[in-house]
Amino acid sequence: MVQTPLINQPSTDQRLVYGGITWQHFKLIQAGFAESPGVRLSYYNGEIEIIMPGREHEFFKTIIGMLLELFCIEMAIEFDPTGSMTQEREGEVSAEADESYCFGESKPTPDLVIEVVFHSGNSKKLQRYQALNVPEVWLWQDGLFSLYYLRDNSYEQISRSEISQLATLDIDLLTRCVLIAQTSRLEAATTFRNALKPN
C-alpha cells in the first residue's frame, strides 16, 4: 500500500478567528474551553484564534519535537519540554505553541517555540510571541522551516538557531528527517541519529 505524503494532503485543521474581543471576553471563552483538550486558543490585539488541530498538524509537531529531543539526548543537552503550555501577558496576549522548550534550565518563558502552520497569519503568530518575549520561533510550513530570533524587540529571520545549545543543529538535516518520517518514523530517527555521530 502506497501512503500519500502528509505534506501534500489538505489540512484538516479547524480554525476560527474573531476580532473585537476584549481580554475579559477572551478569558471567559478560555474558561469555556478548559475541558476541551486539543483546542488551542491565542489572543492578541483584540483578536482571538481558535484552532482544533487535525491529524497531520499533530503528526508534524510530534515528529519535530521527537527529533529535537533526540538531538538533545545525543548531544547531552539538558532540556525542559514545555509543550503547548499557555503563555500569557495579562490583559495583552495569550498563546499556546505546538511545542516549546527551555534549554539548560527551566525558565518562565521558553527559549524556543515551534509552530506548524497550515494557514496564513505567520506575522500574527510572530507578533504574539514578540509580545511574550520568546527568544526564538520556528515555523514549519510547506515542508520547510523558517527560523526567527528576537533581536532589538523584533524578529529577524535566521538560517540556524542562535540558542547556544542548538548552534550545531543542522536545519537541513532536521527538515529532511521530518519529511522522511512521513513514510517511516524509524528511518527518520535512525537517519537523524546516524548523522549526529562523529565521523
Side-chain angles (χ1 to χ4, degrees):
M1 180 176 138
V2 177
Q3 287 186 323
T4 304
L6 294 172
I7 201 77
N8 295 327
Q9 294 179 357
S11 169
T12 56
D13 287 4
Q14 296 178 53
R15 178 176 177 263
L16 302 169
V17 178
Y18 298 100
I21 306 291
T22 65
W23 178 258
Q24 291 75 18
H25 191 189
F26 165 69
K27 295 306 285 183
L28 289 172
I29 294 168
Q30 189 181 51
F33 279 102
E35 300 300 318
S36 302
V39 177
R40 299 207 182 106
L41 303 179
S42 297
Y43 177 88
Y44 182 64
N45 202 23
E47 184 175 274
I48 183 172
E49 180 183 59
I50 304 170
I51 292 181
M52 289 149 278
R55 180 173 178 167
E56 61 273 35
H57 188 127
E58 295 299 275
F59 174 88
F60 283 114
K61 75 107 180 171
T62 302
I63 292 299
I64 293 165
M66 176 196 76
L67 292 171
L68 184 58
E69 291 170 21
L70 180 58
F71 175 83
C72 290
I73 291 165
E74 292 292 318
M75 299 292 117
I77 296 166
E78 193 62 68
F79 67 98
D80 181 12
T82 49
S84 59
M85 73 171 190
T86 302
Q87 302 170 57
E88 287 188 344
R89 178 170 286 177
E90 185 68 29
E92 182 184 357
V93 61
S94 178
E96 296 177 25
D98 285 318
E99 295 287 358
S100 62
Y101 293 90
C102 297
F103 299 97
E105 59 187 28
S106 293
K107 307 169 187 77
T109 300
D111 297 310
L112 172 65
V113 153
I114 301 169
E115 288 274 5
V116 173
V117 182
F118 283 108
H119 304 278
S120 59
N122 291 355
S123 62
K124 290 184 180 178
K125 287 184 184 295
L126 290 175
Q127 288 168 2
R128 287 195 292 258
Y129 291 119
Q130 180 179 324
L132 289 163
N133 288 315
V134 174
E136 195 163 298
V137 176
W138 297 0
L139 304 179
W140 170 264
Q141 186 172 22
D142 297 329
L144 294 170
F145 281 105
S146 300
L147 279 61
Y148 298 89
Y149 190 78
L150 189 61
R151 204 184 316 279
D152 300 325
N153 205 34
S154 66
Y155 282 112
E156 175 184 312
Q157 192 159 3
I158 54 176
S159 57
R160 63 173 48 242
S161 178
E162 295 200 14
I163 297 168
S164 59
Q165 292 91 338
L166 303 182
T168 61
L169 176 60
D170 183 338
I171 299 299
D172 290 337
L173 169 67
L174 179 61
T175 301
R176 194 168 83 247
C177 291
V178 171
L179 296 175
I180 289 170
Q182 291 180 97
T183 50
S184 172
R185 276 58 65 198
L186 184 58
E187 182 184 349
T190 302
T191 301
F192 191 69
R193 182 185 283 121
N194 289 341
L196 297 178
K197 291 177 181 174
N199 295 326

